[in-house]
Amino acid sequence: MSPWLTVVGIGEDGWAGLGRDARRALLAAVAVYGGERHLALLPARLSARRVAWPKPFSVEPLLHEKSRPVVVLASGDPMLFGVGGTLARHLEANAWRVLPAPSSLSLAAARLQWPLQDVASVSLVGRPLASLNASLNRGARLFVLSSDGASPAAIAALLDARGFGASRMSVFEHLGGANERRIDARADDWTHARVAALNLVAVECRANADGASLPLTAGLPDDAYRHDGQLTKRDVRAITLARLAPRAGELLWDVGAGCGSIGIEWMRAHPSCRAIAIEADHGRQRLIEHNRDALGVPGLQLIDGEAPGALVGLPAPDAVFIGGGVTVPGVLDACWAKLREGGRLVANAVTLQSEAALIAWRAQHGGDLTRIGVAQAEPLGAFDTWRQALPITLLHAFKR
C-alpha cells in the first residue's frame, strides 16, 4: 500500500527550496495541513485545500483524511522536535513518508562551523525556561529552539543569573530565508528585548568566576538544594541512586520526597527519565518546585499527599524510592504491588522502628539490606576527629 500522507519539510525559502518529490506531492494533494506561516509559503496556483492546525493543536482532523493524498508541512526536519514525532504515535509506518529539509540546527551549525554532534539541543517550545539549567556547563555548546521573540532576552538573563554571563550568544532570525539575520553578543551584554518570533539561539557557555558547573554524576553537593533538613545527604544519595539504577525512559516514584533530591537526580541521569515526587508537607513542596527548576528538570511531577492514598491512579513505576513513611501501614506493600516487573524498590531507614519495618518486609519479599555509615573529619580543639552521621539502613529489592 502506497502512503496516503507525505510530510514535507519546508524552509524559509518556501516553494523555491523544495525538491522534486516534495513539489509533486503538493501538486497531487487534495489537502495541505500546516501552520499558517507554512501555508503562506505556498504559491497560489496549488489547488489543494489548505487547512491550518486547530488550536489547541490536534492531528484528529488530519486522521479523517485517510485514503486520499494529503500533505503536512513542517519546519525543516519534521522528525526533529517537530510534528513527525506526534504523527509517529498515530500512524502505521506504511501510511506515510517524510521528505525533510535542512533543520534550523543544521543551518546554524553550518553558519557557526560547529560539529553538530558536539552540540546539545534544548527546546523551549511549550517547555519552561528552567529546562535550560540542566545543560549549563563550562565549555558546552547549546542550540536553543526559542518559544518566541522574547526568548533570547530571557535566556541571556538566565545565563547571567546562573554565573554564565560571559557566554557568547548568537541569535539567528529566519534561518535559510531572505530575511535571515544574525545577532552576536555576550549574555551579560544582551540589549535586544525582542527579536523576530522565528529564531534559534546558539550559546557557547563560559562561566564567570562565580559560575558553577554541576557534575553529571549522582550525588550533587548538598548546597545545590534548598531544604529544611529533610535531605538525603550527598554520599547516601549517590549510593541510593546507584541502587535505583536509572535507565532511559524509566519512571521513578519518590515517596516522601522531602526536598526532591532523589527524583531530581534520577531525571538528570537522562533527558527521557521521568519522576513523580509524592510529598504532603506544603513547605517542602515549595522547596521541590524551586529545586527542580534550579537543577533543570521542571518536568518533575509533584503530587500533594501521603502514601499509600496518594499513590492511587499513578502510572506504574519502574523504580520506587521511599525516603520517608516506611512505618506507615501499607506503604511498602502498595509500592511493591504497583512496581513493574524488573523494577527496583529502594527504601532508607534511620530509626529503629523504620529499620524494623524494612527487616520484617524483607522476610516476606526478599531483597538486600545494607548499612551505610559516613563520617566527616571535623575540628576538636587543636586537632581533628571523626563525626559520625546517623547510620542508614538501605533496603534494595528487585521485582522478578
Side-chain angles (χ1 to χ4, degrees), residues 132-191:
L132 187 58
N133 284 328
S135 301
L136 299 183
N137 292 289
R138 285 187 178 90
R141 287 175 169 177
L142 311 176
F143 283 150
V144 186
L145 299 175
S146 290
S147 176
D148 54 31
S151 291
I155 292 167
L158 181 145
L159 290 169
D160 196 20
R162 299 284 296 186
F164 285 85
S167 299
R168 299 295 304 177
M169 290 176 54
S170 296
V171 174
F172 294 94
E173 299 176 327
H174 300 290
L175 264 168
N179 296 320
E180 181 176 322
R181 183 173 74 133
R182 173 176 170 175
I183 308 169
D184 296 292
R186 280 173 49 128
D188 57 8
D189 195 32
W190 190 261
T191 58

Side-chain angles (χ1 to χ4, degrees), residues 52-298:
W53 292 119
K55 298 178 181 179
F57 175 80
S58 171
V59 296
E60 287 302 317
L62 170 69
L63 300 180
H64 295 306
E65 302 272 7
K66 287 182 179 178
S67 77
R68 300 189 296 169
V70 177
V71 167
V72 165
L73 291 179
S75 294
D77 185 348
M79 305 307 296
L80 182 68
F81 296 111
V83 71
T86 302
L87 293 173
R89 295 191 291 269
H90 290 84
L91 297 171
E92 298 288 339
N94 60 1
W96 62 307
R97 61 174 178 157
V98 180
L99 303 177
S103 69
S104 59
L105 305 188
S106 295
L107 292 173
R111 304 294 189 268
L112 292 164
Q113 297 177 333
W114 288 1
L116 193 53
Q117 69 271 14
D118 297 334
V119 185
S121 301
V122 180
S123 175
L124 298 183
V125 180
R127 296 175 175 85
L129 179 65
S131 303
L132 187 58
N133 284 328
S135 301
L136 299 183
N137 292 289
R138 285 187 178 90
R141 287 175 169 177
L142 311 176
F143 283 150
V144 186
L145 299 175
S146 290
S147 176
D148 54 31
S151 291
I155 292 167
L158 181 145
L159 290 169
D160 196 20
R162 299 284 296 186
F164 285 85
S167 299
R168 299 295 304 177
M169 290 176 54
S170 296
V171 174
F172 294 94
E173 299 176 327
H174 300 290
L175 264 168
N179 296 320
E180 181 176 322
R181 183 173 74 133
R182 173 176 170 175
I183 308 169
D184 296 292
R186 280 173 49 128
D188 57 8
D189 195 32
W190 190 261
T191 58
H192 302 269
R194 296 193 71 88
V195 300
L198 186 65
N199 72 84
L200 177 143
V201 183
V203 180
E204 191 161 18
C205 293
R206 298 177 183 173
N208 305 339
D210 59 344
S213 293
L214 291 173
L216 300 177
T217 53
L220 297 181
D222 291 343
D223 61 10
Y225 295 94
R226 288 186 185 174
H227 61 91
D228 61 358
Q230 287 296 107
L231 170 70
T232 302
K233 297 300 190 294
R234 181 178 193 172
D235 297 302
V236 175
R237 194 182 331 124
I239 295 171
T240 299
L241 265 296
R243 296 299 183 94
L244 287 168
R247 301 183 181 100
E250 289 190 329
L251 171 67
L252 170 77
W253 284 0
D254 186 358
V255 180
C259 73
S261 62
I262 295 294
I264 287 168
E265 294 196 28
W266 169 278
M267 290 185 66
R268 283 174 58 90
H270 192 273
S272 66
C273 285
R274 298 164 294 133
I276 300 174
I278 298 95
E279 177 56 57
D281 185 278
H282 288 178
R284 290 171 186 160
Q285 290 171 13
R286 304 292 81 78
L287 293 173
I288 292 172
E289 290 171 345
H290 167 82
N291 290 331
R292 69 183 180 186
D293 286 355
L295 296 170
V297 289

Side-chain angles (χ1 to χ4, degrees), residues 253 255 278 303-314 325 328-332 334-335 338:
W253 284 0
V255 180
I278 298 95
I303 299 296
D304 178 5
E306 293 183 348
L311 307 178
V312 176
L314 297 183
V328 176
V331 169
L332 280 162
C335 291
K338 288 286 288 184

